[in-house]
Amino acid sequence: MNGTAGRPAAPEAPLGVQHLVSPGRQGRQQPGRHGQEPQWSDHPALGEVSARLAAAPPLVHMHEVRRLRQALASVARGDGLVLQAGDCAESLEECGPAQAAHRIAVLDELGDHLEHSSGRHVVRIGRLAGQFAKPRSQPTERVGDRELPVFRGHMVNSQVPTAQARRPDPRRMLRAYEAAATVLDSLRDRRGARAAGPWASHEALVLDYEHPLVRESSGGGPLLTSTHLPWVGERTRGPRSRHLALLASVANPVACKLGPTATPDEVLLLCRLLDPDRVPGRLALIVRMGRSRISETLPPIVAAVRRAGHPVVWLCDPMHGNTVRAANGLKTRYLPDLIAEAAAFRTVLDRQGQHAGGVHLEVAASDVTECVGGPVGSAEGLGERYTTLCDPRLNPEQARRFLNTWA
């Protein structure tokens, strides 16, 4: 595995997996949560892949992570906003230098748009350089008259609808590492030119990829070097989950998704595990409840977190709770629904004297037609450029219109 520009040729010492999850915190996911770990079926390459990842250069470094934590601490204090945006699922075929630079430029342009319209500094964080795996609600899906293993992202298997292509292959983790390195090089080039970010984030879903990339850093404790900001998702945030234990153990800023079933007690436990010292910039809570549920579910959660003194960054993800199927069978989201959830989110935070810290969006870097609103006038137009690997994304113009309403 080759090093890339800006990264040392030799790795920092890898931290063994045994240090990541203490015996008291191991265990199954919460009852009712679908297991998300790939079933590699004793693939003969798994051991070699794990060893190569453990010996690979770190993809991000402690000095970068500290800068991001400082930026997020400023947002937690009410001084600025976060724009976290990018692909639903990254494609390994779209991570070349030119493609990466274009995606990052679109993220930066949207950040500029929000900054100018809001009058606030904007921390730009991409869903990139690692968003190659997706949680799924079912292990299989129906494709025509066949039942196939579900597509779990390019880190795990292929979207091609054949049994062989859908077989999880751990060698894909090495391709994901190399693709992430390329994207991060482009990201550093952009940050060097503008000195204001952007940063990388992804859901820390495939632990066979994440664990080998933890390194013991000097003076900062364990660092997850796969990304600047890892998050744990709605399906894997159980208090006994290994995903949560991983994020609790590392020095990175971390985030957690909160869906419509979240309760104040659950969220307080998550905060205690992920932010025990109540440090601004350590924890972001990404709310994804849907426009019909957020006004009822979110207020007691915000009140509980405020009373407990956790200085979290509150982010609104209006995408995941508002996914529907159009008459033609395509999954989509309606821009007015996204705007309505974001408005309700801000109302809840404002009424409790808390800062609405920003938004988490799935946005393509091209003019896709996957969501309805703005330039996509109706569901009839969805099929024109529907290219997502998983969930529907806004196109840049739709994202700009959404950000106008936020500002």
Side-chain angles (χ1 to χ4, degrees):
M1 215 175 282
N2 297 322
T4 61
R7 295 189 290 120
E12 300 172 34
L15 185 70
V17 173
Q18 66 270 20
H19 295 292
L20 298 177
V21 187
S22 64
R25 294 166 87 177
Q26 291 184 10
R28 300 174 183 267
Q29 305 285 40
Q30 276 188 329
R33 294 194 187 279
H34 177 69
Q36 297 295 332
E37 282 297 288
Q39 300 302 306
W40 304 117
S41 300
D42 298 321
H43 195 290
L46 181 58
E48 178 189 357
V49 168
S50 297
R52 291 182 65 184
L53 288 172
L59 290 170
V60 306
H61 308 289
M62 182 61 83
H63 69 89
E64 297 174 320
V65 166
R66 287 193 178 114
R67 284 181 58 193
L68 177 56
R69 285 189 65 155
Q70 291 169 357
L72 291 173
S74 180
V75 175
R77 291 190 291 265
D79 300 327
L81 297 171
V82 170
L83 173 63
Q84 187 175 17
D87 277 320
C88 167
E90 286 181 280
S91 170
L92 287 175
E93 310 306 322
E94 297 178 0
C95 289
Q99 296 162 312
H102 175 65
R103 290 160 57 201
I104 294 165
V106 170
L107 170 64
D108 235 350
E109 289 163 6
L110 292 174
D112 288 346
H113 184 84
L114 179 58
E115 196 163 271
H116 295 155
S117 57
S118 68
R120 290 176 174 267
H121 173 67
V122 174
V123 181
R124 302 103 193 272
I125 304 173
R127 290 174 55 107
L128 49 75
Q131 187 60 12
F132 298 115
K134 294 296 295 181
R136 305 311 295 261
S137 58
Q138 299 295 332
T140 62
E141 65 179 337
R142 196 88 184 158
V143 181
D145 59 353
R146 292 173 296 168
E147 190 81 11
L148 293 173
V150 72
F151 172 56
R152 292 186 174 274
H154 278 174
M155 184 182 286
V156 179
N157 59 6
S158 170
Q159 79 275 19
V160 175
T162 66
Q164 180 60 29
R166 293 292 177 89
R167 182 190 179 202
D169 185 344
R171 292 171 296 187
R172 287 178 164 271
M173 292 190 286
L174 297 178
R175 293 185 60 198
Y177 173 94
E178 294 289 358
T182 299
V183 176
L184 283 162
D185 279 347
S186 294
L187 186 147
R188 290 188 181 95
D189 289 343
R190 185 81 178 184
R191 193 185 314 136
R194 297 182 49 119
W199 309 97
S201 68
H202 67 254
E203 180 174 358
L205 186 66
V206 179
L207 297 182
D208 287 327
Y209 177 78
E210 307 294 344
H211 276 159
L213 292 173
V214 175
R215 305 285 188 267
E216 188 68 59
S217 62
S218 57
L223 179 71
L224 180 57
T225 68
S226 67
T227 189
H228 300 114
L229 173 68
W231 79 80
V232 63
E234 172 70 2
R235 294 183 177 93
T236 53
R237 63 170 173 80
R240 292 175 59 82
S241 81
R242 295 173 65 232
H243 298 81
L244 196 74
L246 170 63
L247 266 61
S249 72
V250 297
N252 309 62
V254 300
C256 181
K257 291 283 191 90
L258 301 179
T261 65
T263 68
D265 286 345
E266 284 179 343
V267 177
L268 285 180
L269 178 56
L270 291 168
C271 289
R272 288 196 295 270
L273 292 171
L274 295 174
D275 180 35
D277 299 321
R278 294 171 171 80
V279 178
R282 161 63 177 175
L283 176 61
L285 295 178
I286 306 172
V287 178
R288 44 145 296 176
M289 294 180 174
R291 63 170 297 179
S292 65
R293 301 284 296 276
I294 187 169
S295 295
E296 174 185 357
T297 305
L298 185 58
I301 291 174
V302 174
V305 173
R306 174 178 53 80
R307 287 193 298 267
H310 290 280
V312 304
V313 175
W314 290 101
L315 299 181
C316 176
D317 171 2
M319 310 288 292
H320 286 88
N322 294 300
T323 306
V324 297
R325 284 202 181 271
N328 59 10
L330 293 174
K331 288 192 292 186
T332 193
R333 290 142 174 174
Y334 285 80
L335 186 57
D337 291 341
L338 312 187
I339 292 170
E341 179 167 355
F345 170 87
R346 294 188 65 175
T347 296
V348 170
L349 271 293
D350 290 346
R351 285 177 176 172
Q352 302 208 30
Q354 301 299 293
H355 178 50
V359 293
H360 179 115
L361 303 174
E362 292 184 337
V363 182
S366 58
D367 292 327
V368 299
T369 56
E370 298 168 2
C371 295
V372 178
V376 184
S378 69
E380 284 70 29
L382 291 174
E384 292 182 18
R385 292 181 299 279
Y386 196 101
T387 60
T388 183
L389 289 172
C390 190
D391 288 335
R393 304 160 294 175
L394 297 170
N395 60 41
E397 174 58 25
Q398 290 171 324
R400 282 188 286 270
R401 295 190 184 207
F402 173 89
L403 294 174
N404 285 341
T405 66
W406 178 275

